[in-house]
């Protein structure tokens, strides 16, 4: 800006000098053209010439803007198309994750069309499975087929459908089959879950995949849960091969993540490999893809070595962007609030921490709020309140078995305490331990609380006695 001002002054100084000289030596100018006579002085003539020059310059710039207007409109239209394509792509991934394969494929095709990317269409076609063929029970109602085919040929279909009056007279089975088949049950039966868990405990991965296919084709398993079980099988293999064959282990983890984009153990496996090899852009791409569906602080802890050279402002901006991707989850707000405290941005830290604590009470958020109140004048009482809330807050998230509530230090395909398969999730335990063991001193298997075991066994025995009665 200063350089432009200096250049302007240099170019304006001769004009000012000439203006002062002509004001002292005005002179006269006479113009005669086609019977017109003009008498004026030199300064007025120069002013007229300057006005004409500025008029032509303005007309030139206006014509250039008009000429560039179609290109700018086309670029804005392309930008809007890309934005709509990205929204459609995210909606397709969310629909596929929730088990709505039909909407996922439709939205994926729309996203590929808006983004003008045939490669994206092919990739989505591979990632999102085709809708399963309707079960035979939905194709059984003979009266409906008879009505459809009776419109095309005249007599033969009617003759064909005429003989089964008894089938028409027994309508109860057909409606029941049609009502039950549209959606698979939310939870598999105890027999199916026990058979799958047994395959996992024995390390029979191919048999576990066959068990998933059989249960899914029988209509006793939802597509979303089938995708999660497939991811568990693939990640279990990846954990076994992590020492002997790292390349195959990484490939299996990627396949597990492709089967279930929100599967946290597979995402952590891929992230650790990318971080260990220093591939920052690939690791950040995996983090961005997983964070929208499964935000967890353990993902940020895994990626922390990539950002150790960044300053506090850069880390804060990155974590605020993650918090915007999942605004209704406390993990992103907690991470952004911690980064804001490190950067001494007290207002930003308070905003993110209060947003996180409104969603779910957390010990880390309470401790950071106490630090912020200590910085404020007269905030000692408020800081003590936050420290009391920290002591009363729930335990930090860890690997918890959904079946028995046992905790462990790492993920496994089945629970070592109760043997349930695909039951270990990253979540907060139901009860906060009074003296939580440190990971270095206690093995992961020792973190399972033994107290609920007897009530759970007695409850199962009571239920079995009730069933016998």
């Amino acid at each position: 800006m200063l350089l432009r001002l200096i250049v302007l002054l240099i170019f304006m100084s001769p004009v000012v000098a000439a203006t002062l000289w002509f004001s002292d030596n005005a002179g006269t100018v006479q113009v005669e053209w086609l019977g017109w006579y003009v008498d004026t002085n030199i300064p007025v003539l120069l002013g007229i010439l300057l006005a004409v020059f500025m008029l032509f310059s303005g007309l030139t710039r206006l014509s250039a803007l008009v000429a560039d207007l179609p290109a700018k409109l086309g670029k804005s239209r392309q930008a809007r198309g890309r934005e709509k394509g990205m929204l459609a792509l995210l909606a397709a991934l969310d629909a596929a994750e929730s088990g709505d394969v039909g909407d996922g494929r439709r939205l994926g095709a729309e996203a590929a069309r808006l983004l003008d990317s045939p490669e994206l269409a092919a990739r989505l076609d591979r990632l999102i499975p085709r809708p399963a063929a309707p079960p035979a029970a939905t194709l059984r109602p003979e009266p409906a087929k008879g009505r459809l085919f009776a419109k095309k040929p005249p007599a033969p279909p009617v003759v064909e459908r005429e003989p089964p009056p008894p089938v028409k007279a027994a309508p109860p089975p057909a409606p029941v089959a049609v009502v039950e088949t549209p959606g698979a049950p939310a939870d598999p039966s105890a027999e199916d879950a026990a058979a799958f868990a047994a395959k996992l405990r024995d390390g029979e991965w191919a048999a576990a995949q066959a068990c998933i296919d059989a249960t899914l084709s029988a209509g006793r398993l939802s597509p979303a849960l089938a995708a999660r079980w497939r991811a568990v099988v693939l990640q279990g293999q990846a954990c076994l091969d992590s020492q002997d064959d790292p390349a195959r282990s990484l490939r299996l983890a990627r396949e597990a993540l492709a089967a279930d984009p929100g599967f946290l153990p597979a995402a952590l496996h891929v992230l650790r490999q990318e971080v260990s090899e220093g591939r920052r852009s690939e690791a950040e791409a995996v983090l961005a893809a997983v964070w929208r569906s499964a935000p967890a602080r353990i993902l940020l802890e895994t990626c922390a070595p990539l950002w150790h050279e960044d300053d506090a402002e850069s880390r804060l901006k990155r974590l605020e962007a993650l918090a915007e991707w999942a605004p209704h989850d406390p993990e992103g707000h907690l991470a952004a609030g911690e980064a804001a405290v490190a950067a001494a941005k007290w207002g930003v830290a308070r905003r993110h921490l209060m947003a996180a604590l409104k969603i779910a009470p957390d010990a880390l958020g309470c401790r950071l709020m106490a630090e912020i109140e200590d910085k404020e004048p007269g905030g000692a009482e408020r800081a003590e309140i936050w420290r009391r809330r920290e002591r009363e807050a729930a335990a930090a998230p860890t690997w918890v078995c959904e079946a028995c509530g046992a905790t462990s230090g790492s993920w496994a395909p089945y629970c070592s305490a109760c043997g349930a398969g695909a039951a270990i999730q990253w979540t907060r335990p139901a009860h906060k331990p009074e003296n939580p063991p440190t990971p270095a001193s206690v093995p992961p298997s020792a973190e399972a609380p033994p107290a609920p075991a007897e009530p759970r066994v007695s409850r199962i025995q009571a239920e079995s006695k009730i069933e016998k009665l």
Side-chain angles (χ1 to χ4, degrees):
M1 188 65 185
L2 182 61
L3 181 60
R4 291 184 179 180
L5 182 61
I6 293 173
V7 172
L8 179 63
L9 291 176
I10 292 174
F11 279 99
M12 287 295 295
S13 56
V15 177
V16 174
T19 302
L20 294 175
W21 188 83
F22 279 117
S23 64
D24 295 335
N25 304 279
T28 58
V29 175
Q30 293 180 351
V31 179
E32 180 181 353
W33 183 63
L34 297 178
W36 294 86
Y37 296 93
V38 177
D39 292 333
T40 183
N41 53 25
I42 296 296
V44 174
L45 178 63
L46 292 177
I48 293 173
L49 293 177
L50 180 61
V52 171
F53 173 76
M54 292 180 65
L55 177 63
F56 276 102
S57 177
L59 290 175
T60 303
R61 292 181 63 86
L62 181 61
S63 62
L65 289 175
V66 172
D68 291 341
L69 187 59
K72 291 183 178 179
L73 290 177
K75 290 181 180 178
S76 64
R77 190 179 298 109
Q78 291 178 358
R80 289 196 299 271
R82 285 195 297 270
E83 183 178 359
K84 291 181 180 178
M86 291 302 297
L87 292 175
L89 178 60
L90 293 176
L93 295 177
D94 291 339
E97 181 184 1
S98 63
D100 194 349
V101 181
D103 277 352
R105 294 183 66 83
R106 179 180 59 79
L107 293 170
E110 182 180 355
R113 179 183 61 81
L114 291 172
L115 296 175
D116 193 16
S117 175
E119 182 181 358
L120 176 61
R123 183 69 62 85
L124 290 175
D125 186 67
R126 290 195 301 269
L127 290 180
I128 302 177
R130 295 184 180 274
T138 58
L139 302 178
R140 267 181 213 162
E142 297 294 334
K145 289 184 72 176
R147 286 194 299 272
L148 290 175
F149 286 118
K151 295 178 182 179
K152 296 181 183 177
V158 177
V159 173
E160 233 177 6
R161 296 295 178 250
E162 200 75 40
V167 177
K168 267 188 168 182
V176 171
V178 173
V179 171
E180 289 181 356
T181 50
D187 295 322
S189 64
E191 292 77 8
D192 293 331
F196 179 67
K199 300 293 189 298
L200 293 179
R201 290 193 299 270
D202 297 339
E204 299 176 357
W205 311 114
Q209 291 283 10
C211 178
I212 296 172
D213 295 335
T215 311
L216 180 62
S217 61
R220 300 193 304 271
L221 191 65
S222 65
L225 190 56
R228 175 56 56 93
W229 280 15
R230 294 185 196 280
V232 168
V233 173
L234 292 169
Q235 184 59 28
Q237 293 177 269
C239 292
L240 286 180
D241 295 340
S242 58
Q243 299 294 332
D244 301 333
D245 193 351
R248 183 174 183 271
S249 175
L250 180 60
R251 178 175 58 80
L252 290 170
R254 291 186 185 279
E255 292 179 3
L257 195 58
D260 186 355
F263 191 49
L264 191 59
L268 291 171
H269 190 124
V270 175
L271 281 176
R272 291 190 188 101
Q273 189 67 25
E274 302 290 1
V275 170
S276 65
E277 297 181 5
R279 293 194 289 264
R280 176 168 179 167
S281 58
E282 289 82 355
E284 290 180 348
V286 174
L287 173 63
V290 177
W291 187 268
R292 299 180 187 275
S293 57
R297 282 183 58 83
I298 192 172
L299 294 171
L300 302 179
E301 295 171 0
T302 306
C303 295
L306 298 174
W307 307 322
H308 68 280
E309 295 182 357
D310 294 353
D311 56 0
E313 294 286 344
S314 300
R315 283 194 294 271
L316 176 59
K317 290 180 180 178
R318 179 181 295 107
L319 295 175
E320 281 193 304
L322 288 176
E324 291 177 0
W325 288 350
H328 302 295
D329 192 274
E331 296 295 331
H333 291 293
L334 283 173
E338 188 176 11
V341 170
K345 302 285 186 180
W346 311 120
V348 177
R350 187 184 294 272
R351 173 167 56 85
H352 282 290
L353 292 174
M354 290 305 296
L357 293 173
K358 285 180 181 179
I359 299 170
D362 186 86
L364 175 61
C366 295
R367 183 169 69 252
L368 293 174
M369 283 300 300
E371 293 182 13
I372 294 174
E373 296 296 349
D374 284 335
K375 304 291 182 181
E376 299 289 339
E381 293 183 5
R382 295 191 298 271
E384 185 59 31
I385 293 174
W386 285 114
R387 290 189 179 94
R388 185 168 64 251
R389 292 183 182 179
E390 177 188 356
R391 292 189 292 269
E392 297 172 355
T398 185
W399 298 109
V400 181
C401 175
E402 292 182 337
C404 65
T407 60
S408 59
S410 60
W411 178 86
Y414 60 90
C415 176
S416 59
C418 66
I424 298 181
Q425 304 291 334
W426 180 261
T427 184
R428 297 179 187 274
H431 302 286
K432 185 176 181 181
E434 297 181 359
N435 296 313
T438 58
S441 60
V442 179
S445 59
E447 294 185 9
E454 291 184 4
R456 182 173 179 272
V457 172
S458 61
R459 179 174 59 83
I460 294 174
Q461 292 175 352
E463 289 178 354
S464 62
K465 290 180 180 179
I466 292 173
E467 290 177 359
K468 289 180 181 178
L469 291 175

